[in-house]
Amino acid sequence: MSQQNISADAQPNVKYNQVGKSLTRTDAPGKAAGRTPYAGDYVMPGMLHMRVVRADIASAKLTRLDVTKARALPGVVCILTADDVAGREAATDIPGQTGQKRMDTDQQILVHERVKYYGEPIALIAAESRDVANAALELVEFDLEPIPGVYDPEEAMKPGSPIVQGIDNIVAEHKIRKGDPEKALAEADLVIENTFHTPFQEHAFLEPEVGLAWTDENEVVNIRVSTQVIEHFRAIADAIGVPHNKVRIRGALVGGGFGGKEDVTVEIYLALMAKATGRPVRLEYTREDSFVGHGKRHPFKLTYKTGVTRDGRITGMDVYILADSGAYVFLSPYVLLYGAVAAPGPYKVENLNVYAQAVATNNMFTSAFRGFGGMQACAAYEQQMDEVAKALDMDPIEFRRRNYLKTGEAISTGFVPPSAIWTEECVDKAWAALGEPTVSSDHIKIGQGIAAYQQSYGRLTFLHDTSECWVGVEMDGTVIVRSGVTDIGAGQISALGQIAVEVLGVTLENVVIYNSDSAVTPLAGTTTATRALYMTGNAAKMAAEAVRERLSERAAREFDVQVDQIHMAFNVVSVIDNPDKSMAFVDLVKICASEGIHRSELSMFRAPFSDYLNPETGQGQAHPDYVYGAQAIEVAVDTDTGEVEVLKSIAAHDIGQCINKAAVEGQIEGGTQNGQGYALSEEMLYEEGKLVTPSFSEYLMPTSMDMPKVQTILLESRSGLGPFGSKGIGEPALTPVAPAIANAVANAIGVRIFELPITPERIIKALKEKQAAN
Amino acid sequence: MPVEYELDIPQSLDEALNALASDNGSSVTPLAGGTNLIIDIRSRRERPARVVGLDYVSELRAIDCTSERVTIGSRTTVTDLLDSAEIAKAAPSLVDAARVFAGHMVRNAATVGGNIACGSPAADLVPPLMSLDAEVTLSSKSGSRTVALADYFTGYKQDVRNADELITQVAWDRLPEHSVNTFRKLGRRKGDAITVTGVALTVVVEDGVCQRARIALGSVGPTVFRARQAEALLEGKVLSNELFDAAARKAASESSPIDDVRASAEYRLHTIETLTRRLLTQAWARLA
Amino acid sequence: MSSPKKITLRINGVNETLEAPAHRTLLEALRDLGHVEVKCGCEKGDCGACAVSIDGVAVDSCLTLAWMVEGREITTVSGLGDIENPHPLQKSFSDLGAIQCGYCTPGMIMASKSVIDRNPNPTDDDIRVGLSGNLCRCTGYTKIFEAVQDAASVMRGEGDKQ
C-alpha cells in the first residue's frame, strides 16, 4: 500500500458484504437473555468453596500463623499456607507466553515471611460451603510485625530507603535518545518545563476474578477461569510443579478485563487446592478482594522540557518518567517502555531525550491496564502541548499543526510506522464537531479542550508474537471458527466470525466460534495490547482464504471458468461475468465434501519480528504499527463547588477499517468513560499502602448520570496491518480522553491542575491560589 | 463466626414491637430496606443477634397529606416519595434529595425510617426533613413518643431511640404559601454518590420579612444538624445579599467537618458556605 | 443460631423452593437455584448487576434477604424473554451494540424495564437517573441509552425503528 495515496477522504476500494457493518454480535443475544455462562456460573458435584486470607498491613514480617482453629471448624476441608507450597514461586513477567527467557521477577505464592503489600495472600481456605469458608477466614490467626515500608517512588530511590525489590528498588530503566537534545534546548527560543502526575487506576471490570478447578482422569488440572490469557497454563504448571501439558485453561466469555485479567489472578490458588484436595474447587473474589488482588495502573510522574521556536516549532524535548511499580515487578518494565516510546506523542521531535524509571514500593503492585503506559504519557504530553501553546500565545491546535508527525516519518525510536498517520485529520474533525462553546454564566465556566495521541497496536515486536486460528466449513455449509482467543467483551470472537464469513461469502448467523481453551483451540496469544483483531483477525482471514481458495477452484471447474471469476457472497457462489451461473454455497460444499477436498485450515499469523531496541538510544522497532486519533471535550466547571460536567465528548480515530462498526463505536464510548473517570473522579487512596477506597461507593467510576452521549467519528485509512487494513481500537479509545478533559478544564478556569484526577477539591484549591496570586 | 442472626418477620406493627421488645432489645435491630444494614452486617460493623424485618408491616408504608400536616410512614420508600404528587407540592426538598438518592434499585428499597435510623451524617433525606421541622414518632410496646428530628441525633451514629423502639412515622406541619424549600447536595460524581456536603433550606417570608429560616446541613458534622445561628441571622429580617453572605459564613462556622476519602474538611467548609449562599439567593429570587 | 427455613417463591413464573438460613441473600439463593443469569458484582448495592424484580419492583438482590421474598414473584432477565423470543429490551440491547462484556447486562435490562414500566415514554434524563445504580465499564452507556429508547418505542407499539 502506498502511503502517499492515503487521504482522509479515502473510500473503501471494495464493497464488503459483512465487514464494516454493525452486525449483531454473535455473543450478544445469549448475553441479553442471561443464557451466557461466565466462569463463575459453573458448578460441579462435590465442589469446595475457597477464600483467601490476606495481610492487613503493607510492610510486615509474618511472625505467627496459626490455622488450628480454622481447620477444626466443621466443614473446613483444607487450608494451605506457604509451608504447603514448598518455597515455590509464581512468575510475574509475561510468563509462559512467548518462550523467551524471563526476568528474575518471581513472586511468592503465599507469604512465607515477608509481607510486601496490603492484601498479599497468606493462606488459602477450602470448605464445604461459602458460609463455612467465610467463617474460617475469621478463625485464621496471624501476627504481622510492621517493617518500615516505602510508599513513594522518589523516597524509594533514596539511599537508605527500605528495599522492596533488588538492590535499589529500581526495577526498570529505559532511554530514548536522538539528535542533540541538550543543544536544541539550549538554543530554543523558549523552553517550557512542567511536571504532571497521573494516579493509580482500578480496572473495575464488573465481573470479579473467579474460577473453578478440578483434576481430570488424566491428572490434568482443568481451570475454568475468567482470564484474558489462557497461555498462563504454562506458568501455572511451573508454579504448581507439573508438566505444561498437565494444566488446561478453559476460558469463558470474560466479564470485562481491561488488562486487569492479563496477569494470573486466581488460577494458581485454584490449581494448588484442586491438587491438594482432589475435589473441584471454586474461588470467587469479593469486590474488595478484587480491589486488593490485582495490579493497578502505574502512577507516573512525568517532567517535560519542551524547546520551541517563536513560530511554534518543537526543536527539542527532554522527558523524565518515574513510575511506581508497587511491591512486585509484573509488567512494569514493558509499561514503562510503552510510556518512553510514546513520550513525544504524535509529533516530530528530532532532538529527544527520554529517561524512564520504574521503582518498587510497598504500594499495590502495578501492571497492565488498557493504555499500558502510553496513555499516561499522553496525559502529560497533551497537557504540555497546551501549556507550550499558551506560552507562545498560540492556538493550541495551530501549535500542534506545526509539529504533527506525518505519514512516512519516524517516531521516537526512529521507526517509520508502515501505516497512515492521520492525527491532523482526526484533530480537525473532532474539533469541528465540537462546535461553538456553550455560553458561560456567573459561576459556570465553559471550556473546550483537545488531545491527540499515538498508541501502538500489537505486542512489542521483540517478543516475536504469533497467533493461530482454524476455520472450517461443515457439510451443511455452516462455518466453525476455532481459536484460543479470549473474548473480554469487545467482540473479539464475533469479529473473527465476521472476517471468516466475509471471505467465505456466507453470513454471520451461520458461524459458531469456539474459543479460549488452551488444550483444544489453537493458541491465539493473548487478548491484550490491542492485538486480538490485528493478530488473530489476520490468522482467521488467512485460514478462511485458504479454504475459500480450494472451494473456489472447485467452483471454477464446475462452471468452467477461471478461479478469479468466482464470486462468493450471501451464501451463493456465482460467476462474476455471468451471474446466471450460480449455486448455493452449501451445494459447493457438498461437492467438495464428496470429493475429499479439504474444507478447513489452521493458519498462523506472525507479527514483524525485531531485535530489542538499542539499550542506550532506544532506537529500533518497538511495535508493529501505531494508531492515531483525537478527543475533543467541552466541560462546564462550577467555580463555586469545583464540580465538572462533561457536556460534549467527541472521539475521532483512524481505525484503518471497521470490522464491526457498532463494536468499534462501543469500544470508543467505553474508553471515553474509563478516561473520564481517570480524569475526574476515580481515585485509589492508600494510607501506608493500605487501600482505603476498596468499593464502588468509594472508587467512583462515571455513572449514566455522569456521561455525555459520546459522539464517534471513524476515519478509515485502510492502511493498517490488521485484516482488511484495520488497525485496533481497544487501548487507543481511552488514551486521549483524560488530557482532553484536563485541557478543557484549564481552558474553562484559566489555571491548570497538574495532578489527575481533577477533583472538585483540587479545582477549588487552584482557584483560590489563582485568586490569591492576583 | 458466620454472619448469623435470628430473623423475625412480623406481619403487623404489634408483632414488630413485640419482637423488638424480646431479649430486652439488647441486640435487636429493625430491618427496613436493608440497603445499609445488610452491608453493615456482612462487613461485621453491625453484629445483631436478632433482626426484625419490617417488609410486611404494611401500615407503616403510607403518605398522608392534609391541608395542615404531612405524615409519612417509616416504611415509605424513596421511590414512593418520588411518585407522590402531594410530596412534590408539600416537600420539594425531599424530592430534590430523593432524586439523587443512590441508584434506582436502592431507591426502591430504602425507606424514610431507615435513612433516619442509620444515623449517618450523609443520610440524604434527613437534611430536608429537618428543614421542614419534621417530628419523629418512636413506638414501643409501652407506647409512643414524639421527638423533633433536630433533637433526634445525639452523636455520630447515636440517637435517642431505645432498642425496643421503632421509628413509625415522620410528620410536619405544611409550609405556608410564601415559602421555599430546597435541597442541594455535592457528591464526587452526579449519579449514585455519597454526599460530600448537603444543604436543605426552608425560608418562609411574609410581608417581605423572613418569618422562618431553616438550614439543615449534611456531612459536615457527626450528625445532620441545623445551623441555628445562621438561621437566627435571617429570621425577622428583610432579606438581602449581605445577610446571605453572613448566614452562609455562619453556617460554615457552625460546621465541624472531617477529612475523609471523599473530601477534606476545608473543602466541605468552603462548599457549605457557597451552597448555603446559593440556595438562599435562589430562594430569595423565587420569593421576590 | 438460626436454622434453615424452607422458602417457596415464584421465579420467572415457576414455583421454586429453597432452603436457606436467615442471612442468605436473594442473590445467593437465586444463584444456588441455578439462576446464574443474576450476576454478583459487589454485594453492596453499588453496581446493580444483581438487579431482579420482586412483584414488579426492581431491587438489588444482594441487599434482599431470601426469607423476605416468601411467596413473591421474582423476575430475572431470563424471565423477560429468551434467545428465540427476546423481550424488546433484550433485542435492542443486542442489536444496537449496548452489550459488550455483558456482565452488567442482566441488571441493566431489569433496571431499564423498570424505567419504561414507570414511564413508557422516558426522556434521556429519565433513563440516566433510572440507570445510575447500574455500573457499566465497557460501553460508556451511550448505546445503552439508545437501546432503551429504541425498546421503549417498540413497546409503545411504534414499531422497530431500526
Side-chain angles (χ1 to χ4, degrees):
Chain A
M1 177 160 306
S2 164
Q3 290 167 335
Q4 283 69 41
N5 293 338
I6 302 163
S7 85
D9 300 317
Q11 294 298 312
N13 53 13
V14 276
K15 288 266 184 272
Y16 295 125
N17 296 311
Q18 307 295 330
V19 157
K21 308 276 190 296
S22 291
L23 301 184
T24 298
R25 278 167 42 176
T26 54
D27 56 319
K31 287 174 172 175
R35 288 295 305 276
T36 300
Y38 293 76
D41 298 338
Y42 291 87
V43 294
M44 288 181 86
M47 180 178 84
L48 299 173
H49 300 263
M50 289 181 67
R51 287 298 308 260
V52 179
V53 180
R54 297 180 182 279
D56 52 4
I57 297 178
S59 177
K61 188 177 170 189
L62 180 64
T63 55
R64 184 179 76 97
L65 175 58
D66 185 351
V67 299
T68 321
K69 281 185 194 158
R71 259 190 195 129
L73 186 71
V76 170
V77 173
C78 182
I79 296 180
L80 298 178
T81 67
D83 290 345
D84 301 298
V85 297
R88 283 188 191 288
E89 296 199 318
T92 68
D93 168 36
I94 50 170
Q97 297 173 32
T98 63
Q100 281 207 325
K101 187 175 178 297
R102 290 191 296 101
M103 292 184 292
D104 182 20
T105 57
D106 293 354
Q107 178 188 21
Q108 58 186 351
I109 294 169
L110 294 168
V111 171
H112 179 63
E113 187 179 289
R114 174 86 159 92
V115 173
K116 293 212 290 187
Y117 69 94
Y118 176 81
E120 190 159 15
I122 291 176
L124 306 173
I125 295 168
E128 298 286 356
S129 73
R130 282 188 311 263
D131 283 347
V132 173
N134 289 338
L137 193 64
E138 296 186 3
L139 294 176
V140 172
E141 296 174 359
F142 59 87
D143 292 335
L144 293 179
E145 186 182 297
I147 294 174
V150 60
Y151 305 98
D152 178 293
E154 282 179 275
E155 291 297 318
M157 282 194 296
K158 289 179 183 164
S161 168
I163 296 300
V164 186
Q165 281 285 341
I167 52 167
D168 55 6
N169 288 331
I170 295 172
V171 301
E173 285 185 310
H174 297 296
K175 292 177 211 161
I176 295 179
R177 272 193 75 84
K178 61 177 177 178
D180 190 342
E182 291 77 13
K183 181 162 174 278
L185 287 172
E187 293 175 358
D189 291 340
L190 201 61
V191 176
I192 305 299
E193 177 174 346
N194 284 301
T195 297
F196 304 88
H197 295 268
T198 68
F200 284 101
Q201 191 181 23
E202 160 62 29
H203 307 77
F205 34 70
L206 265 288
E207 175 202 41
E209 296 89 329
V210 63
L212 169 69
W214 69 97
T215 305
D216 70 15
E217 67 280 9
N218 296 316
E219 287 297 300
V220 172
V221 178
N222 286 253
I223 311 175
R224 176 74 74 176
V225 65
S226 175
T227 181
Q228 296 177 237
V229 180
I230 61 172
E231 288 76 7
H232 282 316
F233 71 90
R234 301 173 181 126
I236 296 159
D238 289 344
I240 67 170
V242 301
H244 287 186
N245 65 359
K246 292 288 189 186
V247 173
R248 174 179 179 185
I249 301 294
R250 303 176 185 225
L253 295 186
V254 177
F258 315 109
K261 293 170 183 164
E262 179 168 337
D263 298 311
V264 170
T265 59
V266 294
E267 294 95 321
I268 291 171
Y269 311 141
L270 283 165
L272 287 169
M273 195 58 89
K275 291 275 286 181
T277 62
R279 290 175 63 175
V281 292
R282 179 179 188 274
L283 174 57
E284 178 177 20
Y285 276 2
T286 64
R287 181 53 60 182
E288 187 164 347
D289 277 326
S290 182
F291 264 99
V292 302
H294 67 256
K296 306 303 162 201
R297 186 187 297 289
H298 292 72
F300 274 25
K301 175 190 162 188
L302 309 102
T303 299
Y304 274 74
K305 276 182 223 159
T306 308
V308 285
T309 59
R310 284 267 167 237
D311 65 348
R313 257 165 260 281
I314 298 172
T315 54
M317 189 182 283
D318 181 277
V319 185
Y320 173 66
I321 299 173
L322 178 60
D324 185 346
S325 88
Y328 288 96
V329 176
F330 282 85
L331 303 185
S332 295
Y334 310 99
V335 172
L336 188 72
L337 180 58
Y338 273 57
V341 170
Y347 305 104
K348 197 170 180 178
V349 182
E350 306 280 11
N351 301 295
L352 175 68
N353 183 52
V354 182
Y355 179 45
Q357 293 180 298
V359 177
T361 65
N362 291 108
N363 288 324
M364 182 63 199
F365 66 83
T366 44
S367 192
F369 195 143
R370 190 180 193 181
F372 206 81
M375 70 86 78
Q376 286 99 319
C378 184
Y381 64 67
E382 279 304 87
Q383 294 196 71
Q384 173 74 350
M385 289 301 283
D386 265 30
E387 287 298 300
V388 176
K390 189 176 161 192
L392 287 166
D393 197 20
M394 189 177 284
D395 175 77
I397 291 179
E398 180 53 33
F399 173 54
R400 284 174 172 80
R401 196 183 313 284
R402 294 180 188 194
N403 292 285
Y404 288 131
L405 195 71
K406 300 278 174 45
T407 303
E409 292 179 341
I411 68 158
S412 60
T413 66
F415 171 70
V416 178
S419 70
I421 299 178
W422 278 6
T423 314
E424 182 167 9
E425 289 83 347
C426 291
V427 166
D428 290 350
K429 283 180 188 298
W431 192 254
L434 198 61
E436 285 299 308
T438 309
V439 179
S440 293
S441 65
D442 185 22
H443 55 263
I444 303 292
K445 301 294 177 212
I446 304 297
Q448 294 190 329
I450 190 87
Y453 71 91
Q454 166 187 291
Q455 179 85 39
S456 58
Y457 63 100
R459 294 176 83 187
L460 291 159
T461 41
F462 59 79
L463 294 175
H464 296 195
D465 199 13
T466 61
S467 184
E468 290 184 54
C469 185
W470 182 97
V471 174
V473 180
E474 252 313 315
M475 286 172 68
D476 63 352
T478 57
V479 174
I480 293 172
V481 176
R482 293 165 51 225
S483 171
V485 69
T486 54
D487 192 310
I488 61 174
Q492 280 87 4
I493 59 171
S494 188
L496 298 186
Q498 216 162 332
I499 290 163
V501 299
E502 176 69 45
V503 172
L504 292 169
V506 296
T507 46
L508 197 56
E509 63 273 17
N510 291 321
V511 184
V512 172
I513 303 139
Y514 295 90
N515 75 308
S516 201
D517 185 322
S518 70
V520 303
T521 53
L523 293 179
T526 63
T527 298
T528 67
T530 312
R531 71 176 285 290
L533 174 65
Y534 160 50
M535 296 295 296
T536 316
N538 271 328
K541 185 161 177 276
M542 289 164 69
E545 281 170 348
V547 174
R548 182 198 160 104
E549 195 176 314
R550 291 193 284 268
L551 297 183
S552 303
E553 278 167 10
R554 184 61 190 84
R557 271 192 283 137
E558 191 70 17
F559 294 131
D560 197 20
V561 295
Q562 296 293 311
V563 172
D564 62 9
Q565 275 294 302
I566 298 299
H567 179 65
M568 295 163 77
F570 297 111
N571 305 308
V572 174
V573 182
S574 58
V575 175
I576 292 173
D577 291 343
N578 186 0
D580 290 345
K581 280 191 175 179
S582 71
M583 69 168 101
F585 179 77
V586 60
D587 292 332
L588 173 61
V589 171
K590 281 179 178 158
I591 293 169
C592 292
S594 69
E595 295 176 5
I597 293 171
H598 196 191
R599 307 184 316 281
S600 67
E601 182 78 8
L602 173 63
S603 293
M604 176 187 269
F605 177 74
R606 295 173 177 83
F609 290 1
S610 70
D611 292 329
Y612 193 79
L613 299 170
N614 180 308
E616 286 309 310
T617 66
Q619 297 299 291
Q621 180 174 5
H623 301 98
D625 193 19
Y626 297 88
V627 188
Y628 298 87
Q631 191 92 20
I633 294 281
E634 180 174 305
V635 297
V637 182
D638 186 325
T639 52
D640 284 350
T641 62
E643 292 166 295
V644 177
E645 180 173 11
V646 178
L647 300 176
K648 294 181 196 164
S649 192
I650 293 156
H653 301 270
D654 169 25
I655 42 82
Q657 163 70 47
C658 277
I659 303 302
N660 185 320
K661 185 161 176 283
V664 172
E665 290 168 353
Q667 283 240 64
I668 291 169
E669 291 154 6
T672 303
Q673 187 255 21
N674 198 318
Q676 183 174 321
Y678 186 66
L680 297 176
S681 62
E682 296 180 23
E683 202 167 21
M684 309 205 77
L685 296 175
Y686 289 91
E687 288 172 3
E688 297 269 287
K690 176 183 176 176
L691 179 67
V692 293
T693 53
S695 76
F696 284 153
S697 65
E698 292 152 315
Y699 183 81
L700 301 172
M701 61 173 131
T703 71
S704 55
M705 289 174 75
D706 299 276
M707 285 301 296
K709 271 193 182 171
V710 179
Q711 185 186 335
T712 299
I713 299 168
L714 298 177
L715 287 81
E716 296 183 305
S717 66
R718 302 177 43 74
S719 65
L721 303 180
F724 306 100
S726 60
K727 292 190 169 185
I729 194 60
E731 295 175 279
L734 165 59
T735 300
V737 180
I741 292 174
N743 286 341
V745 171
N747 178 245
I749 63 174
V751 53
R752 183 168 296 278
I753 292 151
F754 289 89
E755 183 168 12
L756 299 179
I758 304 169
T759 61
E761 179 124 25
R762 288 184 173 139
I763 287 177
I764 293 300
K765 188 161 172 278
L767 286 170
K768 282 185 173 173
E769 283 167 4
K770 182 186 164 199
Q771 203 173 20
N774 290 345
Chain B
M1 292 309 294
V3 193
E4 286 192 5
Y5 43 82
E6 301 289 336
L7 176 59
D8 289 333
I9 307 178
Q11 301 296 313
S12 68
L13 180 56
D14 282 346
E15 280 183 33
L17 297 180
N18 279 332
L20 285 174
S22 63
D23 308 335
N24 294 322
S26 55
S27 181
V28 183
T29 303
L31 170 71
T35 57
N36 281 318
L37 187 59
I38 301 283
I39 301 165
D40 286 346
I41 292 174
R42 290 181 74 96
S43 67
R44 309 294 199 275
R45 281 193 297 269
E46 297 280 344
R47 295 168 181 264
R50 178 182 295 274
V51 170
V52 180
L54 303 170
D55 280 31
Y56 295 90
V57 186
S58 51
E59 58 260 57
L60 294 181
R61 188 170 174 183
I63 296 172
D64 181 34
C65 290
T66 67
S67 55
E68 272 81 48
R69 202 161 163 83
V70 180
T71 307
I72 300 177
S74 59
R75 273 246 356 115
T76 302
T77 66
V78 178
T79 296
D80 292 338
L81 298 176
L82 286 171
D83 286 348
S84 165
E86 291 189 299
I87 291 294
K89 268 184 273 171
S93 67
L94 207 49
V95 178
D96 292 340
R99 219 179 124 74
V100 290
F101 189 106
H104 179 62
M105 281 79 67
V106 169
R107 291 193 287 272
N108 283 344
T111 67
V112 174
N115 198 235
I116 295 170
C118 76
S120 166
D124 276 337
L125 302 183
V126 177
L129 288 169
M130 216 178 264
S131 79
L132 290 161
D133 283 342
E135 296 167 324
V136 178
T137 302
L138 290 165
S139 301
S140 70
K141 260 177 84 173
S142 47
S144 290
R145 62 183 174 127
T146 299
V147 185
L149 180 58
D151 300 327
Y152 181 83
F153 302 105
T154 55
Y156 178 69
K157 300 225 170 199
Q158 291 182 324
D159 56 38
V160 300
R161 185 179 73 87
N162 296 318
D164 65 340
E165 286 181 317
L166 184 66
I167 297 175
T168 50
Q169 64 181 41
V170 184
W172 66 90
D173 289 339
R174 290 189 77 142
L175 293 172
E177 194 86 346
H178 292 285
S179 62
V180 168
N181 173 243
T182 59
F183 172 74
R184 171 82 152 88
K185 89 171 190 187
L186 290 182
R188 283 286 307 276
R189 65 180 176 199
K190 287 173 79 177
D192 201 350
I194 294 172
T195 298
V196 168
T197 49
V199 180
L201 172 73
T202 299
V203 182
V204 180
V205 172
E206 266 174 47
D207 302 327
V209 175
C210 176
Q211 299 298 323
R212 193 201 310 172
R214 295 288 179 272
I215 300 171
L217 306 180
S219 283
V220 288
T223 71
V224 177
F225 66 96
R226 274 175 54 191
R228 291 175 191 266
Q229 295 171 41
E231 294 170 0
L233 286 178
L234 300 167
E235 289 186 341
K237 306 274 173 49
V238 176
L239 297 179
S240 67
N241 284 330
E242 291 69 35
L243 267 184
F244 298 155
D245 284 342
R249 279 195 302 273
K250 186 59 84 178
S253 75
E254 290 177 76
S255 304
S256 54
I258 55 164
D259 296 327
D260 68 13
V261 297
R262 280 175 279 281
S264 69
E266 190 186 347
Y267 175 80
R268 287 189 159 101
L269 287 175
H270 170 82
T271 50
I272 276 296
E273 186 178 326
T274 54
L275 281 189
T276 303
R277 182 185 300 114
R278 193 184 288 181
L279 289 191
L280 283 167
T281 310
Q282 289 168 353
W284 185 232
R286 280 163 61 188
L287 287 164
Chain C
M1 280 292 141
S2 70
S3 45
K5 185 163 114 176
K6 210 172 188 181
I7 302 288
T8 303
L9 66 170
R10 281 176 73 78
I11 305 171
N12 298 332
V14 176
N15 288 323
E16 297 206 39
T17 305
L18 64 98
E19 194 162 287
H23 64 269
R24 184 73 66 239
T25 63
L26 179 59
L27 168 62
E28 294 168 326
L30 287 170
R31 290 187 59 88
D32 285 349
L33 284 170
H35 293 282
V36 292
E37 70 273 19
V38 184
K39 298 301 179 205
C40 174
C42 72
E43 293 185 286
K44 288 186 171 184
D46 295 329
C47 79
C50 68
V52 301
S53 92
I54 302 174
D55 293 341
V57 177
V59 299
D60 290 318
S61 60
C62 71
L63 299 181
T64 306
L65 296 179
W67 283 19
M68 302 305 259
V69 296
E70 165 93 55
R72 300 175 74 174
E73 177 88 44
I74 312 297
T75 308
T76 73
V77 74
S78 298
L80 299 185
D82 56 28
I83 294 174
E84 291 71 33
N85 296 296
H87 183 276
L89 275 163
Q90 291 170 320
K91 184 162 173 28
S92 296
F93 267 64
S94 179
D95 289 348
L96 298 184
I99 299 171
Q100 290 192 37
C101 89
Y103 201 80
C104 75
T105 304
M108 195 69 82
I109 286 180
M110 293 312 293
S112 301
K113 180 167 186 303
S114 187
V115 168
I116 296 173
D117 286 348
R118 293 168 56 78
N119 180 354
N121 198 358
T123 63
D124 279 359
D125 196 46
D126 292 334
I127 296 169
R128 283 174 197 283
V129 172
L131 299 184
S132 69
N134 295 79
L135 295 174
C136 173
R137 191 54 149 177
C138 298
T139 67
Y141 309 104
T142 297
K143 293 207 183 316
I144 290 175
F145 300 150
E146 291 166 6
V148 177
Q149 287 291 14
D150 184 68
S153 78
V154 172
M155 290 163 75
R156 290 194 302 269
E158 292 168 16
D160 198 332
K161 286 201 297 193
Q162 294 159 43

